[in-house]
Amino acid sequence: MRYQELQDKIWEYAYDWIHKSALHQKIGGDKKTCFDTIKLMIPTQLKEKKIGNRIYVKRIDTTKRAEFENALTFQENMLNNIIQM
């Protein structure tokens, strides 16, 4: 599975809170690659919360101002870091 396809499937199934293992079971493929992709998506496309020993993820709702601004600020900081290099 290509990286973009994996991201699209993660986005599709993360419409509501779901723990990472259940998300991987729905998507299939290599577990480490799936978890690594989820980790990369967390700052900009997904939010996470920990309940017990499980990590749950959900899509960031860009229609909610606070979530949108938080994701936007993160992306601006990443761009500033690249420019300063």
Side-chain angles (χ1 to χ4, degrees):
M1 182 178 321
R2 292 180 309 126
Y3 181 74
Q4 187 60 47
E5 287 177 295
L6 182 58
Q7 277 192 326
D8 291 345
K9 286 187 177 188
I10 291 169
W11 180 257
E12 178 183 345
Y13 291 119
Y15 58 88
D16 200 8
W17 290 109
I18 184 169
H19 66 89
K20 288 174 25 174
S21 294
L23 185 57
H24 168 257
Q25 288 174 351
K26 285 186 174 192
I27 294 169
D30 182 57
K31 189 172 188 175
K32 183 182 180 340
T33 304
C34 182
F35 280 19
D36 289 345
T37 305
I38 291 169
K39 187 175 181 177
L40 290 173
M41 291 175 71
I42 285 174
T44 58
Q45 300 175 39
L46 301 174
K47 56 185 174 180
E48 70 176 340
K49 69 178 176 181
K50 189 170 184 177
I51 300 175
N53 64 344
R54 292 186 173 197
I55 297 174
Y56 288 77
V57 294
K58 180 181 178 182
R59 283 187 252 185
I60 290 177
D61 184 359
T62 55
T63 61
K64 293 183 179 175
R65 185 175 183 91
E67 290 183 23
F68 174 78
E69 288 178 355
N70 189 24
L72 181 62
T73 301
F74 176 82
Q75 291 177 357
E76 287 172 343
N77 290 339
M78 292 298 291
L79 287 171
N80 285 333
N81 289 340
I82 291 171
I83 291 171
Q84 292 175 1
M85 293 178 128

